[in-house]
Amino acid sequence: MPHIHVIHENEEWTGPLLRELDALGHPYRDWHLGEGTLDIGATPPAGVFYSRMSASSHTRGHRYAPELTAGVLAWLEAHQAWVLNGTRALALEVSKVAQSAALGQHGIRVPRTIAALGRDRIIAAARNFDGAFITKHNRAGKGLGVRLHKGVDALVDYLDGPEFELSVDGITLVQEYIESPTPHITRVEFIGQELLYAVRVDTSEGFELCPAQSCEIGDAACPVGATTSEKFVIID
């Protein structure tokens, strides 16, 4: 039976998968790329390579894990290895600009978005919007860096204040704000182009949210009268 090589940088996210592989008796390699080396001249081992690399790796002290993973995946693909979530998937994972472009290519509408590098460019981009807009990190995860601004003056105060944190890749997105009838977003999960489930997420306390157990917010961060479980409700 071929090995399953699980490429990742987060033990908490991959733990349930590895336990299930143990239960099924499938041989696997836990390939943690928070650090490591790659012998470019070597031939990859046999097996299936499954990448779980995340855009939020830097929040766990693994700033360059996606860059190393990009090299590993390119090496695997050059040897025609069987790779799930290869270089194309990783390129989408670490760039909201790339994600928006891909959605538009398939006819899926997205809010107007301007990518900006540099403080003055961020402010100039914001002047293209009438009314409220949001800023967010181009490379993030868990809703990192999402901030609502009522106008350019509020943005300037934010950029010059202590709360501003630059995206790990330096690129800030300035995006049209679309107010929802209710304070919720819907996250959807697909496998093999088939809808697996949808999760309704309460955003009344902000957008830095993640339904995974390893980054679940505590009850203290929930709106009054709500429980943590109500922040994330599977609706389909």
Side-chain angles (χ1 to χ4, degrees):
M1 181 181 297
H3 273 67
I4 300 172
H5 304 264
V6 182
I7 299 170
H8 71 102
E9 53 75 40
N10 188 338
E11 299 89 343
E12 292 188 74
W13 286 358
T14 55
L17 170 62
L18 300 185
R19 288 193 292 272
E20 187 66 19
L21 292 175
D22 280 329
L24 294 172
H26 289 309
Y28 65 85
R29 175 189 179 189
D30 182 356
W31 196 355
H32 193 293
L33 286 182
E35 59 181 30
T37 58
L38 172 64
D39 184 349
I40 300 173
T43 299
V48 177
F49 297 84
Y50 173 44
S51 174
R52 289 291 311 274
M53 188 49 56
S54 170
S56 62
S57 65
H58 60 285
T59 67
R60 291 175 290 278
H62 304 142
R63 164 62 183 85
Y64 298 107
E67 284 79 4
L68 178 57
T69 300
V72 168
L73 295 177
W75 171 70
L76 292 171
E77 291 172 359
H79 285 273
Q80 299 183 328
W82 188 359
V83 180
L84 303 179
N85 298 333
T87 52
R88 173 59 175 160
L90 181 60
L92 288 171
E93 169 70 16
V94 299
S95 173
K96 289 184 172 64
V97 170
Q99 293 167 20
S100 295
L103 290 170
Q105 184 179 12
H106 292 281
I108 300 174
R109 296 176 60 192
V110 297
R112 185 188 181 193
T113 306
I114 300 175
L117 179 62
R119 175 187 178 279
D120 292 344
R121 297 292 183 174
I122 296 171
I123 296 170
R127 298 191 189 282
N128 289 276
F129 296 88
D130 295 325
F133 55 88
I134 63 174
T135 53
K136 60 173 64 174
H137 294 179
N138 179 56
R139 174 171 158 182
K142 304 184 294 185
L144 293 173
V146 179
R147 183 87 174 208
L148 174 64
H149 308 277
K150 298 298 185 181
V152 175
D153 289 343
L155 171 65
V156 172
D157 290 341
Y158 171 61
L159 294 176
D160 294 337
E163 295 184 3
F164 175 67
E165 182 180 5
L166 191 63
S167 174
V168 70
D169 66 357
I171 299 172
T172 295
L173 304 185
V174 185
Q175 188 174 82
E176 171 190 9
Y177 175 62
I178 299 176
E179 186 173 2
S180 173
T182 62
H184 298 92
I185 61 172
T186 302
R187 300 170 60 120
V188 291
E189 299 288 338
F190 292 85
I191 296 180
Q193 300 182 345
E194 296 290 334
L195 176 65
L196 180 62
Y197 63 86
V199 180
R200 187 180 65 212
V201 184
D202 183 344
T203 61
S204 58
E205 293 293 308
F207 292 92
E208 194 166 321
L209 302 166
C210 177
Q213 289 182 345
S214 59
C215 52
E216 187 174 87
I217 61 174
D219 289 340
C222 294
V224 175
T227 66
T228 301
S229 61
E230 291 173 334
K231 297 287 287 186
F232 308 100
V233 179
I234 296 178
I235 58 176
D236 192 5

